[in-house]
Amino acid sequence: MTVTGSKGRRERLRAETTAEIKKVALALMASGGPDAITLRAIAREMGMTANAIYGYFATRDDLVTTLIKDVYTALADAVDAAWEAAPATDPAIRITAWATAFRTWAVVNAQGFRLIYGDPVPGYHAPEGGPAPDAARRVCTGLTALAAAAWPHTQHLYEHSAFGWSDFDPALLDKVRPAFPDLPPAAVALALRIWGHLHGLVSLEVYGHMHTQTTSPEKLFEEELAQLVQMLGVPRRS
Amino acid sequence: MTVTGSKGRRERLRAETTAEIKKVALALMASGGPDAITLRAIAREMGMTANAIYGYFATRDDLVTTLIKDVYTALADAVDAAWEAAPATDPAIRITAWATAFRTWAVVNAQGFRLIYGDPVPGYHAPEGGPAPDAARRVCTGLTALAAAAWPHTQHLYEHSAFGWSDFDPALLDKVRPAFPDLPPAAVALALRIWGHLHGLVSLEVYGHMHTQTTSPEKLFEEELAQLVQMLGVPRRS
DNA sequence: CAATTTACTTCACAGCGTATAGTTTCTTCA
DNA sequence: TGAAGAAACTATACGCTGTGAAGTAAATTG
């Protein structure tokens, strides 16, 4: 045991270098997009050679995968925090807060959004099960919380839903069902559909496709939220 | 005038080579994704050197831009055709047909969808106004037709809409307003929102994010359509 | 203090887009 | 018909990328 930590000096330096690599990579991404994440550029920035990075990440794709996981986790943290900060007694406000946090994060961290949801980087292929299934499922669980909050008011619309538990990934259900024991499959389907709605508007905006059509994507998103709350039938201003 | 065409042999060969470059590029894309579109690979496939392509396209980005335009036009053709083929008297069927054609095209031409809506290719930057604004606006116009068909049944939901004509791109309005003179701004906003809904679900599916959560994205999309028609309030089975 | 592990550099190779210069082939006009 | 000119294409080269193999210097360990 030392004052600087329990592990030896070597491991501490190693952890610091690893952190710096990621930090520099994210900075490059922020300024030049995911494409700008190159080993040589990172090394240049750090005053090293590109091959030195191989001591910390087995391959460039490994680094990118780690970055995706980190960035995705940051997104999940942001929306979770917004959800928790809103009053649990008012589903409409909570849902609006979650979705607004989602879009705000995406607009502020546009390159991070592209890293997570687009083709991250030339030639990158995600490892089995996606790069950040945990973070993705955290987001989905958050969405299910959203659907769960609205479910008492909206379930009457889905009495003829064709969904069963077998339609969903077991790993997702492992997280979702214990958290919301009374929720039927139709509610999870609703959560995924809401995800689609929000993701679509935001990704069109982030990738610049909305900008060609409308000058106020934010207003569009706000109307979307108003409609969402209305469609879900949750009471407003409770 | 010759039997093979009005332009000289030279121009005909030139057009054929141009077409072959695009064909090979699309084939490479279909098998290896947008990243596989490299001048050297195309040239290899054609038995030429990479530099020969510079006689037909000033730069690789020029080629990619042309491909985006072509592919986007194919998408616009597909959804337009589905719309026209459905009975004009039944908005519900027409809307469903349009959206189904959209998803089907995207799933079948997944790499084309990524080319259009993702970061197409390493380092690619779209020229001013986007690469295929025409095709994009054709799709938006199609969406507006969708909203227009539903408008009589759904306008009561948007009486307090905050949208004005200034919220939209003039080039879009030039196409949309003459075609649907009685439509208010709120209907165009609705069209863009529907675009977002469909685009989100489809792009999550195409990029493999849905697959981590549900085994039946198609069922999800079908429920989305059913809900869309219901939300719009258009009569079913008229 | 010697042996080993770790961190890093150097060199190399293949792939990419693309600029420049040179070559071959076709078209056109006197 | 033959010379001039344009068009199509190749060859070479440069800088960028990821990454493998080999070598070096410093820190850690016995």
Short mmCIF file of all heavy atoms in Angstrom, two decimals, chain B residues 118-169:
data_model
loop_
_atom_site.label_atom_id
_atom_site.label_comp_id
_atom_site.label_asym_id
_atom_site.label_seq_id
_atom_site.Cartn_x
_atom_site.Cartn_y
_atom_site.Cartn_z
N GLY B 118 -25.61 6.87 -43.63
CA GLY B 118 -24.54 6.79 -42.65
C GLY B 118 -23.37 7.66 -43.04
O GLY B 118 -23.48 8.55 -43.87
N ASP B 119 -22.24 7.42 -42.40
CA ASP B 119 -21.01 7.99 -42.90
C ASP B 119 -20.56 7.07 -44.02
O ASP B 119 -20.09 5.98 -43.75
CB ASP B 119 -19.94 8.02 -41.79
CG ASP B 119 -20.30 8.99 -40.69
OD1 ASP B 119 -20.57 10.14 -41.02
OD2 ASP B 119 -20.28 8.57 -39.52
N PRO B 120 -20.74 7.50 -45.25
CA PRO B 120 -20.65 6.56 -46.36
C PRO B 120 -19.34 5.79 -46.40
O PRO B 120 -19.30 4.59 -46.50
CB PRO B 120 -20.78 7.43 -47.60
CG PRO B 120 -21.15 8.77 -47.14
CD PRO B 120 -20.83 8.87 -45.68
N VAL B 121 -18.26 6.52 -46.27
CA VAL B 121 -16.98 5.94 -46.66
C VAL B 121 -15.90 6.75 -45.94
O VAL B 121 -16.08 7.94 -45.70
CB VAL B 121 -16.87 6.05 -48.19
CG1 VAL B 121 -15.55 6.61 -48.63
CG2 VAL B 121 -17.18 4.71 -48.86
N PRO B 122 -14.80 6.12 -45.56
CA PRO B 122 -13.77 6.85 -44.81
C PRO B 122 -13.42 8.19 -45.42
O PRO B 122 -13.06 8.28 -46.59
CB PRO B 122 -12.56 5.90 -44.87
CG PRO B 122 -12.97 4.72 -45.69
CD PRO B 122 -14.46 4.73 -45.74
N GLY B 123 -13.55 9.22 -44.63
CA GLY B 123 -13.09 10.54 -45.07
C GLY B 123 -14.00 11.23 -46.07
O GLY B 123 -13.69 12.32 -46.52
N TYR B 124 -15.11 10.61 -46.38
CA TYR B 124 -16.01 11.24 -47.35
C TYR B 124 -16.69 12.46 -46.76
O TYR B 124 -17.21 12.41 -45.65
CB TYR B 124 -17.07 10.25 -47.83
CG TYR B 124 -18.12 10.85 -48.74
CD1 TYR B 124 -17.85 11.05 -50.08
CD2 TYR B 124 -19.36 11.24 -48.25
CE1 TYR B 124 -18.81 11.60 -50.92
CE2 TYR B 124 -20.32 11.80 -49.07
CZ TYR B 124 -20.04 11.98 -50.41
OH TYR B 124 -20.99 12.53 -51.23
N HIS B 125 -16.68 13.53 -47.51
CA HIS B 125 -17.44 14.70 -47.09
C HIS B 125 -18.35 15.13 -48.23
O HIS B 125 -17.90 15.36 -49.34
CB HIS B 125 -16.51 15.83 -46.67
CG HIS B 125 -15.82 15.54 -45.38
ND1 HIS B 125 -16.50 15.45 -44.17
CD2 HIS B 125 -14.53 15.28 -45.10
CE1 HIS B 125 -15.63 15.17 -43.21
NE2 HIS B 125 -14.44 15.05 -43.74
N ALA B 126 -19.62 15.24 -47.92
CA ALA B 126 -20.61 15.56 -48.94
C ALA B 126 -20.40 16.98 -49.45
O ALA B 126 -20.02 17.87 -48.70
CB ALA B 126 -22.00 15.41 -48.36
N PRO B 127 -20.62 17.19 -50.71
CA PRO B 127 -20.56 18.55 -51.27
C PRO B 127 -21.71 19.39 -50.74
O PRO B 127 -22.61 18.89 -50.09
CB PRO B 127 -20.69 18.31 -52.77
CG PRO B 127 -21.35 16.99 -52.91
CD PRO B 127 -20.95 16.19 -51.71
N GLU B 128 -21.67 20.67 -51.04
CA GLU B 128 -22.66 21.61 -50.50
C GLU B 128 -24.10 21.15 -50.73
O GLU B 128 -24.45 20.68 -51.79
CB GLU B 128 -22.46 22.99 -51.11
CG GLU B 128 -21.97 23.01 -52.56
CD GLU B 128 -23.03 22.71 -53.62
OE1 GLU B 128 -24.12 23.29 -53.53
OE2 GLU B 128 -22.75 21.89 -54.51
N GLY B 129 -24.91 21.27 -49.70
CA GLY B 129 -26.32 20.93 -49.84
C GLY B 129 -26.60 19.45 -49.84
O GLY B 129 -27.68 19.02 -50.19
N GLY B 130 -25.63 18.66 -49.43
CA GLY B 130 -25.84 17.22 -49.42
C GLY B 130 -25.64 16.63 -50.80
O GLY B 130 -25.69 17.34 -51.81
N PRO B 131 -25.44 15.36 -50.84
CA PRO B 131 -25.05 14.72 -52.09
C PRO B 131 -26.22 14.50 -53.03
O PRO B 131 -26.09 14.59 -54.24
CB PRO B 131 -24.49 13.39 -51.63
CG PRO B 131 -25.15 13.13 -50.31
CD PRO B 131 -25.61 14.43 -49.75
N ALA B 132 -27.36 14.26 -52.47
CA ALA B 132 -28.50 13.92 -53.32
C ALA B 132 -29.74 14.63 -52.81
O ALA B 132 -30.73 14.02 -52.47
CB ALA B 132 -28.71 12.41 -53.31
N PRO B 133 -29.69 15.96 -52.76
CA PRO B 133 -30.82 16.69 -52.18
C PRO B 133 -32.11 16.44 -52.94
O PRO B 133 -33.19 16.43 -52.36
CB PRO B 133 -30.40 18.16 -52.30
CG PRO B 133 -29.01 18.16 -52.84
CD PRO B 133 -28.72 16.83 -53.40
N ASP B 134 -31.98 16.23 -54.24
CA ASP B 134 -33.18 15.99 -55.04
C ASP B 134 -33.90 14.72 -54.60
O ASP B 134 -35.11 14.73 -54.35
CB ASP B 134 -32.81 15.88 -56.53
CG ASP B 134 -32.71 17.24 -57.17
OD1 ASP B 134 -32.97 18.25 -56.46
OD2 ASP B 134 -32.38 17.31 -58.36
N ALA B 135 -33.13 13.64 -54.53
CA ALA B 135 -33.73 12.36 -54.13
C ALA B 135 -34.28 12.46 -52.72
O ALA B 135 -35.36 11.96 -52.42
CB ALA B 135 -32.71 11.24 -54.24
N ALA B 136 -33.51 13.13 -51.85
CA ALA B 136 -33.98 13.29 -50.47
C ALA B 136 -35.31 14.03 -50.45
O ALA B 136 -36.23 13.65 -49.73
CB ALA B 136 -32.93 14.04 -49.65
N ARG B 137 -35.40 15.07 -51.26
CA ARG B 137 -36.65 15.83 -51.27
C ARG B 137 -37.78 15.08 -51.94
O ARG B 137 -38.95 15.28 -51.59
CB ARG B 137 -36.41 17.20 -51.92
CG ARG B 137 -36.06 18.22 -50.86
CD ARG B 137 -35.88 19.61 -51.39
NE ARG B 137 -34.68 20.18 -50.78
CZ ARG B 137 -33.55 20.34 -51.41
NH1 ARG B 137 -33.44 20.00 -52.67
NH2 ARG B 137 -32.52 20.86 -50.78
N ARG B 138 -37.43 14.19 -52.86
CA ARG B 138 -38.47 13.32 -53.42
C ARG B 138 -39.07 12.46 -52.33
O ARG B 138 -40.29 12.28 -52.24
CB ARG B 138 -37.89 12.42 -54.52
CG ARG B 138 -38.02 12.98 -55.91
CD ARG B 138 -37.58 11.95 -56.96
NE ARG B 138 -38.46 10.80 -57.02
CZ ARG B 138 -38.12 9.63 -57.58
NH1 ARG B 138 -36.89 9.48 -58.09
NH2 ARG B 138 -38.95 8.63 -57.62
N VAL B 139 -38.20 11.89 -51.49
CA VAL B 139 -38.69 11.07 -50.38
C VAL B 139 -39.54 11.92 -49.44
O VAL B 139 -40.62 11.50 -49.01
CB VAL B 139 -37.51 10.42 -49.63
CG1 VAL B 139 -37.98 9.76 -48.35
CG2 VAL B 139 -36.82 9.39 -50.52
N CYS B 140 -39.07 13.11 -49.14
CA CYS B 140 -39.83 13.99 -48.25
C CYS B 140 -41.16 14.39 -48.86
O CYS B 140 -42.17 14.49 -48.16
CB CYS B 140 -39.01 15.24 -47.91
SG CYS B 140 -37.79 14.93 -46.63
N THR B 141 -41.15 14.60 -50.15
CA THR B 141 -42.40 14.93 -50.82
C THR B 141 -43.37 13.75 -50.74
O THR B 141 -44.57 13.92 -50.50
CB THR B 141 -42.15 15.31 -52.29
OG1 THR B 141 -41.17 16.35 -52.33
CG2 THR B 141 -43.43 15.76 -52.96
N GLY B 142 -42.82 12.54 -50.92
CA GLY B 142 -43.64 11.35 -50.77
C GLY B 142 -44.23 11.27 -49.37
O GLY B 142 -45.40 10.94 -49.19
N LEU B 143 -43.42 11.60 -48.39
CA LEU B 143 -43.90 11.59 -47.01
C LEU B 143 -44.99 12.62 -46.81
O LEU B 143 -45.95 12.40 -46.07
CB LEU B 143 -42.74 11.86 -46.07
CG LEU B 143 -41.85 10.67 -45.75
CD1 LEU B 143 -40.48 11.13 -45.33
CD2 LEU B 143 -42.50 9.84 -44.64
N THR B 144 -44.82 13.75 -47.47
CA THR B 144 -45.84 14.79 -47.33
C THR B 144 -47.15 14.34 -47.97
O THR B 144 -48.24 14.64 -47.46
CB THR B 144 -45.35 16.10 -47.96
OG1 THR B 144 -44.05 16.40 -47.44
CG2 THR B 144 -46.30 17.23 -47.65
N ALA B 145 -47.04 13.60 -49.07
CA ALA B 145 -48.24 13.02 -49.67
C ALA B 145 -48.95 12.12 -48.67
O ALA B 145 -50.18 12.11 -48.56
CB ALA B 145 -47.87 12.24 -50.93
N LEU B 146 -48.14 11.40 -47.93
CA LEU B 146 -48.65 10.53 -46.87
C LEU B 146 -49.41 11.36 -45.83
O LEU B 146 -50.55 11.04 -45.45
CB LEU B 146 -47.43 9.88 -46.22
CG LEU B 146 -47.39 8.41 -45.88
CD1 LEU B 146 -46.11 7.80 -46.43
CD2 LEU B 146 -47.43 8.28 -44.39
N ALA B 147 -48.75 12.42 -45.38
CA ALA B 147 -49.38 13.28 -44.38
C ALA B 147 -50.63 13.95 -44.96
O ALA B 147 -51.64 14.10 -44.27
CB ALA B 147 -48.38 14.33 -43.90
N ALA B 148 -50.55 14.30 -46.24
CA ALA B 148 -51.69 14.96 -46.88
C ALA B 148 -52.89 14.02 -46.95
O ALA B 148 -54.04 14.44 -46.74
CB ALA B 148 -51.29 15.44 -48.28
N ALA B 149 -52.60 12.75 -47.24
CA ALA B 149 -53.70 11.78 -47.32
C ALA B 149 -54.38 11.61 -45.98
O ALA B 149 -55.59 11.36 -45.90
CB ALA B 149 -53.16 10.43 -47.84
N ALA B 150 -53.58 11.74 -44.92
CA ALA B 150 -54.15 11.55 -43.58
C ALA B 150 -54.69 12.84 -42.98
O ALA B 150 -55.46 12.79 -42.02
CB ALA B 150 -53.08 10.95 -42.66
N TRP B 151 -54.30 13.96 -43.55
CA TRP B 151 -54.56 15.25 -42.91
C TRP B 151 -56.01 15.50 -42.53
O TRP B 151 -56.30 15.96 -41.41
CB TRP B 151 -54.00 16.39 -43.75
CG TRP B 151 -53.88 17.66 -42.98
CD1 TRP B 151 -54.55 18.82 -43.21
CD2 TRP B 151 -53.06 17.89 -41.83
NE1 TRP B 151 -54.20 19.77 -42.28
CE2 TRP B 151 -53.28 19.22 -41.41
CE3 TRP B 151 -52.17 17.09 -41.10
CZ2 TRP B 151 -52.64 19.78 -40.31
CZ3 TRP B 151 -51.52 17.65 -40.01
CH2 TRP B 151 -51.76 18.98 -39.63
N PRO B 152 -56.95 15.22 -43.43
CA PRO B 152 -58.35 15.48 -43.07
C PRO B 152 -58.77 14.77 -41.78
O PRO B 152 -59.60 15.27 -41.03
CB PRO B 152 -59.14 14.92 -44.27
CG PRO B 152 -58.16 14.94 -45.40
CD PRO B 152 -56.82 14.70 -44.80
N HIS B 153 -58.17 13.61 -41.53
CA HIS B 153 -58.55 12.84 -40.34
C HIS B 153 -57.73 13.20 -39.11
O HIS B 153 -58.09 12.84 -37.99
CB HIS B 153 -58.40 11.34 -40.62
CG HIS B 153 -59.04 10.90 -41.90
ND1 HIS B 153 -58.32 10.73 -43.07
CD2 HIS B 153 -60.33 10.63 -42.21
CE1 HIS B 153 -59.13 10.36 -44.03
NE2 HIS B 153 -60.37 10.30 -43.55
N THR B 154 -56.61 13.84 -39.31
CA THR B 154 -55.68 14.00 -38.19
C THR B 154 -55.38 15.45 -37.83
O THR B 154 -54.72 15.73 -36.84
CB THR B 154 -54.36 13.26 -38.51
OG1 THR B 154 -53.68 12.96 -37.29
CG2 THR B 154 -53.45 14.07 -39.41
N GLN B 155 -55.90 16.39 -38.64
CA GLN B 155 -55.50 17.78 -38.42
C GLN B 155 -55.97 18.33 -37.08
O GLN B 155 -55.36 19.24 -36.52
CB GLN B 155 -56.01 18.66 -39.56
CG GLN B 155 -57.51 18.69 -39.68
CD GLN B 155 -57.95 19.61 -40.81
OE1 GLN B 155 -57.37 20.66 -41.01
NE2 GLN B 155 -58.97 19.20 -41.53
N HIS B 156 -57.04 17.74 -36.56
CA HIS B 156 -57.57 18.26 -35.29
C HIS B 156 -56.57 18.12 -34.15
O HIS B 156 -56.66 18.80 -33.14
CB HIS B 156 -58.88 17.54 -34.95
CG HIS B 156 -58.70 16.07 -34.69
ND1 HIS B 156 -58.49 15.56 -33.43
CD2 HIS B 156 -58.68 15.01 -35.54
CE1 HIS B 156 -58.39 14.24 -33.51
NE2 HIS B 156 -58.49 13.88 -34.78
N LEU B 157 -55.56 17.22 -34.33
CA LEU B 157 -54.54 17.03 -33.29
C LEU B 157 -53.49 18.13 -33.32
O LEU B 157 -52.69 18.27 -32.41
CB LEU B 157 -53.85 15.67 -33.47
CG LEU B 157 -54.71 14.43 -33.24
CD1 LEU B 157 -53.93 13.17 -33.64
CD2 LEU B 157 -55.16 14.34 -31.78
N TYR B 158 -53.47 18.92 -34.38
CA TYR B 158 -52.36 19.86 -34.56
C TYR B 158 -52.83 21.30 -34.69
O TYR B 158 -52.23 22.09 -35.40
CB TYR B 158 -51.53 19.46 -35.79
CG TYR B 158 -51.00 18.06 -35.67
CD1 TYR B 158 -51.70 16.98 -36.21
CD2 TYR B 158 -49.82 17.82 -34.99
CE1 TYR B 158 -51.22 15.69 -36.09
CE2 TYR B 158 -49.34 16.54 -34.84
CZ TYR B 158 -50.04 15.48 -35.40
OH TYR B 158 -49.57 14.21 -35.25
N GLU B 159 -53.93 21.61 -34.00
CA GLU B 159 -54.46 22.95 -34.14
C GLU B 159 -53.59 23.99 -33.43
O GLU B 159 -53.63 25.17 -33.76
CB GLU B 159 -55.90 22.99 -33.63
CG GLU B 159 -56.88 22.63 -34.74
CD GLU B 159 -58.23 22.19 -34.19
OE1 GLU B 159 -58.46 22.37 -32.98
OE2 GLU B 159 -59.06 21.66 -34.97
N HIS B 160 -52.81 23.51 -32.46
CA HIS B 160 -51.94 24.46 -31.73
C HIS B 160 -50.50 24.33 -32.16
O HIS B 160 -49.59 24.67 -31.42
CB HIS B 160 -52.08 24.23 -30.22
CG HIS B 160 -53.49 24.27 -29.74
ND1 HIS B 160 -54.26 25.41 -29.86
CD2 HIS B 160 -54.30 23.33 -29.19
CE1 HIS B 160 -55.46 25.17 -29.36
NE2 HIS B 160 -55.52 23.90 -28.98
N SER B 161 -50.29 23.83 -33.35
CA SER B 161 -48.92 23.63 -33.83
C SER B 161 -48.17 24.94 -33.93
O SER B 161 -48.73 25.97 -34.34
CB SER B 161 -48.94 22.95 -35.19
OG SER B 161 -47.64 22.96 -35.77
N ALA B 162 -46.91 24.91 -33.57
CA ALA B 162 -46.09 26.14 -33.55
C ALA B 162 -45.35 26.34 -34.87
O ALA B 162 -44.55 27.25 -34.98
CB ALA B 162 -45.09 26.06 -32.40
N PHE B 163 -45.62 25.51 -35.85
CA PHE B 163 -44.83 25.58 -37.07
C PHE B 163 -45.34 26.61 -38.07
O PHE B 163 -46.55 26.78 -38.24
CB PHE B 163 -44.79 24.20 -37.76
CG PHE B 163 -43.79 23.28 -37.13
CD1 PHE B 163 -44.18 22.39 -36.12
CD2 PHE B 163 -42.46 23.32 -37.50
CE1 PHE B 163 -43.25 21.56 -35.52
CE2 PHE B 163 -41.53 22.49 -36.91
CZ PHE B 163 -41.93 21.61 -35.91
N GLY B 164 -44.39 27.29 -38.69
CA GLY B 164 -44.69 28.19 -39.80
C GLY B 164 -43.87 27.79 -41.01
O GLY B 164 -42.98 26.94 -40.91
N TRP B 165 -44.15 28.39 -42.13
CA TRP B 165 -43.43 28.03 -43.35
C TRP B 165 -41.93 28.32 -43.24
O TRP B 165 -41.11 27.67 -43.87
CB TRP B 165 -44.02 28.76 -44.56
CG TRP B 165 -45.38 28.26 -44.94
CD1 TRP B 165 -46.52 29.00 -45.02
CD2 TRP B 165 -45.74 26.91 -45.28
NE1 TRP B 165 -47.59 28.19 -45.38
CE2 TRP B 165 -47.13 26.92 -45.56
CE3 TRP B 165 -45.05 25.72 -45.37
CZ2 TRP B 165 -47.83 25.76 -45.92
CZ3 TRP B 165 -45.74 24.56 -45.73
CH2 TRP B 165 -47.11 24.59 -45.99
N SER B 166 -41.61 29.30 -42.40
CA SER B 166 -40.19 29.66 -42.29
C SER B 166 -39.37 28.59 -41.59
O SER B 166 -38.14 28.67 -41.57
CB SER B 166 -40.06 30.98 -41.53
OG SER B 166 -40.53 30.82 -40.20
N ASP B 167 -40.05 27.62 -41.01
CA ASP B 167 -39.30 26.55 -40.34
C ASP B 167 -38.76 25.51 -41.32
O ASP B 167 -38.04 24.61 -40.92
CB ASP B 167 -40.20 25.85 -39.32
CG ASP B 167 -40.51 26.74 -38.12
OD1 ASP B 167 -39.58 27.44 -37.67
OD2 ASP B 167 -41.66 26.75 -37.66
N PHE B 168 -39.13 25.66 -42.60
CA PHE B 168 -38.73 24.63 -43.55
C PHE B 168 -37.84 25.18 -44.66
O PHE B 168 -37.84 26.38 -44.94
CB PHE B 168 -39.97 23.96 -44.16
CG PHE B 168 -40.86 23.36 -43.12
CD1 PHE B 168 -41.99 24.02 -42.68
CD2 PHE B 168 -40.55 22.13 -42.57
CE1 PHE B 168 -42.81 23.47 -41.70
CE2 PHE B 168 -41.36 21.56 -41.59
CZ PHE B 168 -42.49 22.25 -41.16
N ASP B 169 -37.12 24.29 -45.27
CA ASP B 169 -36.22 24.67 -46.35
C ASP B 169 -37.03 25.11 -47.57
O ASP B 169 -37.95 24.39 -48.00
CB ASP B 169 -35.32 23.49 -46.70
CG ASP B 169 -34.25 23.87 -47.70
OD1 ASP B 169 -34.58 23.96 -48.90
OD2 ASP B 169 -33.10 24.07 -47.27
#
